Amino acid sequence: MKHLNNLFEMKSNKEKISMVTAYDYPSAKQVEAAGIDTILVGDSLGMTVLGYESIVQVTLSDMIHHAKAVRRGAPDTFIVVDLPIGAVGINDESDLKNALKLYQATDANALKAEGAHLISFITKARAMGIPVVSHLGLTPQSVGVMGYKMQGATKEDALQLLNDAQAVKEAGAVILVLEAVPSDLAALISERLTIPVIGIGAGKATDGQVLIYHDMLNYGQDHHAKFVKQYGDFSQGVSALKHYHEEVRAGQFPSDAHTYKKQILGELE
């Protein structure tokens, strides 16, 4: 299993880190078999596998349920699990209780928390022994306020993002995810921070990249962001299902090759 120290060594050696989301046992098995460095059990599971309108509906119980399945499918991979909206940012007692519950129940290697406003939580979680991955830039849990758009586009916003990145690192964040920020800004942040910086829509100069499993494999997704590249096409599953439906209707399936043939009727008489 890759450990946090391995990821720091990869940054130090300028070896790129790969991260892919996974939400269940079979996808996690595939990701581990492919040799991906890290798995993110993201709250994006709300839309990709649960059919919610947004991640706002995702609960702590949802995250625990899916993260446990991912760990069973990828026992030897470094796994990061999202803290869903409302799980932290309330008060110290509640935040740490929820974080500890998620961390213990899922056997995660780290938890991910969105936003620079969670500096205090990162510090306290680190003191408790829970590694925290920070997520800055476009933070999906806050799109109701910020919208789906590039972040750090103005000089003022870029400086704020630089300061926030340094602040979460100093608070104890072990990894930083940067989403939808200009590539030159992401490069500067990656250069300045001593912790690994994983980008999504942040250019190639970050220490690693993350993509959503369902986006990169065109699996049930109707819309793809600019930064998504498709590496496969699972949408062909509809054609396969139609073929199955037609064969059942026509009496072609199951054929003899898919049928148990031992004759026992005579023995029953």
Side-chain angles (χ1 to χ4, degrees):
M1 178 190 290
K2 272 192 169 60
H3 297 281
L4 189 58
N5 287 341
N6 300 129
L7 302 181
F8 272 81
E9 289 173 4
M10 292 177 73
K11 177 182 175 75
S12 178
N13 296 331
K14 299 188 182 304
E15 182 182 352
K16 297 292 188 179
I17 300 166
S18 60
M19 176 185 281
V20 173
T21 65
Y23 311 113
D24 56 22
Y25 177 81
S27 63
K29 282 190 69 175
Q30 287 186 335
V31 173
E32 181 161 288
I36 301 295
D37 296 312
T38 55
I39 287 176
L40 171 63
V41 187
D43 56 6
S44 48
L45 66 85
M47 294 175 289
T48 55
V49 298
L50 297 180
Y52 294 156
E53 288 295 322
S54 74
I55 60 175
V56 172
Q57 297 160 283
V58 177
T59 66
L60 194 64
S61 294
D62 290 333
M63 295 308 304
I64 290 172
H65 177 80
H66 286 270
K68 288 171 71 174
V70 169
R71 175 51 84 195
R72 289 192 291 270
D76 297 321
T77 301
F78 189 94
I79 294 178
V80 179
V81 181
D82 262 343
L83 283 155
I85 189 169
V88 291
I90 304 169
N91 57 63
D92 288 347
E93 182 179 357
S94 177
D95 292 356
L96 293 175
K97 179 180 178 181
N98 288 336
L100 186 60
K101 181 178 180 180
L102 183 60
Y103 188 59
Q104 289 182 319
T106 61
D107 194 24
N109 297 101
L111 304 182
K112 184 164 75 67
E114 292 188 9
H117 65 290
L118 294 176
I119 293 291
S120 175
F121 164 72
I122 295 172
T123 301
K124 290 180 171 60
R126 176 67 177 264
M128 182 180 280
I130 302 175
V132 177
V133 174
S134 182
H135 184 158
L136 299 177
L138 174 60
T139 49
Q141 292 177 10
S142 303
V143 294
V145 176
M146 66 171 58
Y148 282 103
K149 62 181 180 181
M150 184 176 69
Q151 302 297 305
T154 67
K155 182 178 180 180
E156 180 182 0
D157 290 343
L159 289 173
Q160 183 63 57
L161 194 50
L162 274 168
N163 291 335
D164 289 345
Q166 187 63 39
V168 297
K169 183 266 176 187
E170 291 177 358
V174 297
I175 298 173
L176 173 62
V177 172
L178 279 181
E179 181 169 355
V181 302
S183 57
D184 56 347
L185 176 58
L188 181 58
I189 292 173
S190 300
E191 180 183 348
R192 288 189 177 182
L193 295 190
T194 55
I195 62 175
V197 177
I198 308 296
I200 176 167
K204 63 172 63 176
T206 53
D207 302 306
Q209 302 291 328
V210 58
L211 281 178
I212 292 176
Y213 177 94
H214 292 67
D215 285 342
M216 65 188 297
L217 296 176
N218 196 29
Y219 185 18
Q221 302 300 90
D222 298 321
H223 171 74
H224 300 286
K226 172 183 174 63
F227 50 75
V228 171
K229 178 178 179 179
Q230 291 180 4
Y231 289 85
D233 189 0
F234 280 9
S235 67
Q236 297 302 314
V238 175
S239 298
L241 291 167
K242 285 183 177 179
H243 189 194
Y244 161 74
H245 172 67
E246 291 165 358
E247 285 200 354
V248 170
R249 286 291 185 87
Q252 296 172 337
F253 178 84
S255 66
D256 287 347
H258 304 100
T259 302
Y260 295 106
K261 298 177 182 179
K262 180 177 172 60
Q263 302 294 322
I264 62 170
L265 289 180
E267 299 175 10
L268 296 177
E269 291 177 352

